[in-house]
Amino acid sequence: MLNEQTTQAKGQAIDVPTGDSTRTHAPQAGQPGEPVNRNKEANHELSIRVRDLNLWYGEHQALKNINIDIYQKNVTALIGPSGCGKSTFLRCLNRMNDLIKSVRIQGLVEMDGRDVNETKMDEVALRRRVGMVFQKPNPFPKSIYENIAYAPRMHDLVGRKAEQDELVERALRDAGLWNEVKDKLHQPGTSLSGGQQQRLCIARAIAVQPDVILMDEPTSALDPISTATIEDLMDKLKQQFTIVTVTHNMQQAARVADYTAFFHLGELIEYNDTRVMFSNPHIRKTEDYITGRYG
Amino acid sequence: MSQSFDEITAQLRRRHRRSANLKRMSMGALILAAAFLVVFIGDMLVKGLPAFQQAQIQIEVNYSEQAREIPPAAVGDDVRSLVSRGYLRLIPSRMEENPELLGTQRMEWVIADSTVDQYLKGHNSELRPKEKRVVDRLVEQGRAELRFNTTFFTTGDSRMPEMAGIAAAAMGTVMTLIVTMAVCFPVGVMTAVYLEEFAPDNHLTQIIEININNLAAVPSILFGLLGLAVYINFFGVPRSSPLVGGLTLALMTLPVIIIATRTALRSVPDGIRQAAFGVGCSRWQVVRDHVLPLSLPGILTGSIIGMAQAMGETAPLIIVGMVAFIPDVSASFTNAATVMPAQVFTWAGDPSPAFVEKTAGGILVLLAVLITLNATAVLLRKKFERRW
Ligand SMILES: Nc1ncnc2c1ncn2[C@@H]1O[C@H](COP(=O)(O)OP(=O)(O)O)[C@@H](O)[C@H]1O
Ligand SMILES: [Mg+2]
């Protein structure tokens, strides 16, 4: 039983027909005695479908046969020991790996019925729909206003100045930053505190109205209070956006994520409803990691 | 076995002594360097500052019909040898321009001969005793004095030291540097941007990189030979012109700008690039909107330093003929011209004290411009210094 699940979770059951997401790729909810989902009205519409994804940095294989379905308007957390490929996987979703010269990718990352790696896919278009927040807050060294307004203007999402003002305000409100910065919109974004900078980066990401927001350890450089603020924010933002976040903080995953994926040495070991994952993981390695026996 | 304090102290004493010695030696080196600088600049100031002053005498000038034919006739016999021959030579053309002068006679302050100038400055002078007495009398009457030397800053070279100026050479330098910068800045910056942000990491780019670095170390006189062979002999660019000089200096400045730009681009944190790519910028937008603006101060600083280097360069310009005798200030890219260091070089070839003074004066002007340029570079760097 345990063995079978391991095989499944690793996605090595290659005979699984694509589309049958309940077995290997979907969270293994519905196992005996487990709640299906924390909230009944949870959205189960597919956002990104990943099949047999392999990735190499030169000779080093960093991702091995990843199969995962990411659901819309949920928070999916990626956990696992450092170096297991969480960031690498995240970057596959908006093709940020293109910027690394030695990278070779194989497999399917599908969004909206399109393979994001196909040559016809414009990575700029992809990144408009899949935004990203990085580990270290990296606001542009421009004003707070300009940090938000730059990308929408570039993508022709706004025309008149008034429209732009409105969008800046909306993005900052959604990121829970408006009250703190409304009087200093024209000061440099870099003058804010670390936590505020990170929320500015979130506001910058949501300003172009993406479908998905990727966050790579967004709170690891922040103090506990800022971290809590951002966690609350993620909870709120998932009503509008699909969020995929990397965290090395188990409690954070338990708190904010609807689904959790556990990576180890480039493999996806287990992907499940967060509650199941933390209360009754199906795989021994997951349990060991979650309970802090290694990692 | 642990050591006692005494043992450790004994060891430390040797270490302290060594570091004290090192400190003394580096202080000594610094003082020596500073002393050289002080001696050099002090010497230049002592020799060169007098060049910014020029003796003038007040005499009666008679704009007669005869003076138009024989200019020396315009001034009296007693002071004729004291007036600059260059000034006298200009009288007919001045009468041409101002016809109302004809037939008038007026007291005027005129430029004195360099012998009078040297005498008033207390140097050895070739004035004869009789002439010295005339000058002394003029000084007593307040009709001979040292005044600010406008000629030096407004005219070109002359065989007569009192009429020689640095302006034509300064203009030549400006025109030459315009050509250099017009070529180097865009080409250098774009090359660096390509190498740093776009180029694949392959053997070809590596070879190009190594060669650019080598180019920066090539003795500048070789660039002069290249300029002579390629620009003048092959492309037929006019010899001695700011165009050919500027193009030659461009060869030399290009690697400086490329290297400075690449350093500046590299100092932009990757987080900024990631952020820009993350919001959907194309590669070109990342460079144009984020990376270039942030590295601009560094690029400008590097360019100014490259320009300052080019400005002090003489050897390659001598080879392309820019040590010409240029009496007139001309803002042309294709006429023969000279540059400031070449002008200094020319003057330095004349042993007469008046020209030694000009040489030092020219060096002072050159130094002042160079220091201004470098100070601008430092200020730019300070002003745009960023904390990420
Ligand atoms: N740019 C890169 N070039 C080469 N190897 C890399 C690069 N980025 C990550 N790796 C390697 O890929 C593996 C996964 O890294 P990463 O995705 O950053 O792990 P995580 O985010 O889980 O800590 C590691 O072994 C790491 O050394
Ligand atoms: Mg990581």
Side-chain angles (χ1 to χ4, degrees), chain B residues 53-381:
Chain B
Q53 288 195 314
Q54 165 65 38
Q56 295 194 6
I57 52 177
Q58 196 186 33
I59 53 163
E60 187 144 288
V61 186
N62 188 355
Y63 292 102
S64 61
E65 199 64 55
Q66 193 195 5
R68 197 150 62 176
E69 304 303 322
I70 312 157
V75 296
D77 291 341
D78 52 339
V79 292
R80 189 168 297 140
S81 64
L82 305 182
V83 178
S84 163
R85 273 163 300 145
Y87 172 81
L88 291 177
R89 230 177 260 169
L90 287 176
I91 288 181
S93 61
R94 281 181 55 210
M95 288 174 72
E96 202 76 34
E97 281 161 31
N98 309 295
E100 75 278 5
L101 284 177
L102 186 63
T104 62
Q105 209 174 41
R106 39 180 86 188
M107 290 294 271
E108 277 181 14
W109 281 97
V110 304
I111 295 173
D113 192 78
S114 68
T115 46
V116 177
D117 185 57
Q118 290 298 306
Y119 179 63
L120 285 188
K121 285 170 182 165
H123 298 306
N124 283 337
S125 166
E126 290 157 15
L127 282 182
R128 277 165 300 191
K130 195 174 126 232
E131 292 168 324
K132 282 185 183 164
R133 277 196 300 280
V134 177
V135 174
D136 288 338
R137 205 184 59 236
L138 285 174
V139 171
E140 265 165 44
Q141 295 170 344
R143 288 171 56 201
E145 61 186 36
L146 290 173
R147 293 191 164 185
F148 181 70
N149 190 353
T150 20
T151 311
F152 187 67
F153 295 99
T154 51
T155 66
D157 203 1
S158 166
R159 301 280 176 233
M160 286 154 283
E162 71 274 13
M163 299 302 283
I166 192 86
M171 181 56 87
T173 291
V174 169
M175 302 310 283
T176 306
L177 287 184
I178 288 176
V179 173
T180 304
M181 277 297 131
V183 173
C184 273
F185 192 75
V187 175
V189 171
M190 292 324 278
T191 307
V193 165
Y194 176 76
L195 286 176
E196 206 55 41
E197 307 283 335
F198 293 91
D201 193 14
N202 58 24
H203 282 300
L204 186 67
T205 17
Q206 276 166 17
I207 291 172
I208 292 176
E209 268 191 64
I210 293 171
N211 277 311
I212 287 171
N213 291 338
N214 285 342
L215 215 55
V218 168
S220 58
I221 194 148
L222 294 186
F223 289 118
L225 290 169
L226 188 66
L228 178 66
V230 176
Y231 298 137
I232 299 181
N233 293 343
F234 188 76
F235 287 109
V237 181
R239 219 179 111 83
S240 303
S241 64
L243 189 59
V244 75
L247 289 173
T248 304
L249 291 182
L251 295 173
M252 217 186 72
T253 313
L254 198 58
V256 177
I257 292 188
I258 293 176
I259 292 168
T261 305
R262 294 190 69 182
T263 312
L265 292 174
R266 233 174 281 158
S267 73
V268 174
D270 255 345
I272 302 292
R273 289 186 185 82
Q274 284 172 0
F277 279 118
V279 296
C281 287
S282 65
R283 226 167 235 285
W284 170 234
Q285 282 169 326
V286 173
V287 172
R288 187 195 61 193
D289 295 349
H290 302 281
V291 179
L292 265 188
L294 290 175
S295 43
L296 203 56
I299 296 174
L300 289 182
T301 310
S303 304
I304 292 175
I305 287 171
M307 207 156 87
Q309 273 179 19
M311 197 173 153
E313 201 53 64
T314 331
L317 296 182
I318 291 178
I319 293 197
V320 297
M322 287 196 82
V323 268
F325 177 80
I326 309 295
D328 298 312
V329 183
S330 134
S332 148
F333 288 113
T334 47
N335 288 349
T338 189
V339 290
M340 285 202 276
Q343 182 67 75
V344 169
F345 176 76
T346 313
W347 285 339
D350 191 316
S352 75
F355 271 116
V356 171
E357 190 184 288
K358 294 282 174 249
T359 308
I363 290 175
L364 282 184
V365 173
L366 187 58
L367 274 181
V369 179
L370 287 178
I371 289 172
T372 313
L373 276 181
N374 284 325
T376 316
V378 172
L379 282 181
L380 264 179
R381 194 155 39 198

Side-chain angles (χ1 to χ4, degrees), chain A residues 82-83 85-88 91 135 216-217 246:
Chain A
S82 130
K86 306 179 296 290
S87 301
T88 303
R91 287 198 298 265
Q135 180 168 2
D216 193 352
E217 305 194 27
V246 171

Side-chain angles (χ1 to χ4, degrees), chain A residues 94 96 98-101 123-125 127-128 130-132 134 136 138-142 147 150-151 154-155 190 204-205 208, chain B residues 196-201 270-283 285-286 288-290 293-294 386-388:
Chain A
N94 70 343
M96 285 295 269
D98 288 12
L99 306 178
I100 303 167
K101 281 173 185 139
E123 71 270 20
V124 169
R127 290 182 198 136
R128 241 211 67 196
V130 185
M132 192 157 192
F134 299 83
K136 195 165 162 273
N138 57 354
F140 296 131
K142 304 175 190 257
N147 260 282
Y150 171 75
M154 179 180 68
H155 294 304
T190 40
R204 178 176 69 190
V208 292
Chain B
E196 206 55 41
E197 307 283 335
F198 293 91
D201 193 14
D270 255 345
I272 302 292
R273 289 186 185 82
Q274 284 172 0
F277 279 118
V279 296
C281 287
S282 65
R283 226 167 235 285
Q285 282 169 326
V286 173
R288 187 195 61 193
D289 295 349
H290 302 281
L294 290 175
R386 271 177 197 281
R387 276 162 279 116
W388 308 104

Side-chain angles (χ1 to χ4, degrees), chain A residues 264-282:
Chain A
H264 185 243
L265 294 176
E267 293 178 73
L268 174 58
I269 304 296
E270 185 167 357
Y271 177 41
N272 215 328
D273 182 288
T274 300
R275 284 221 218 153
V276 180
M277 196 83 155
F278 281 91
S279 58
N280 188 10
H282 294 142

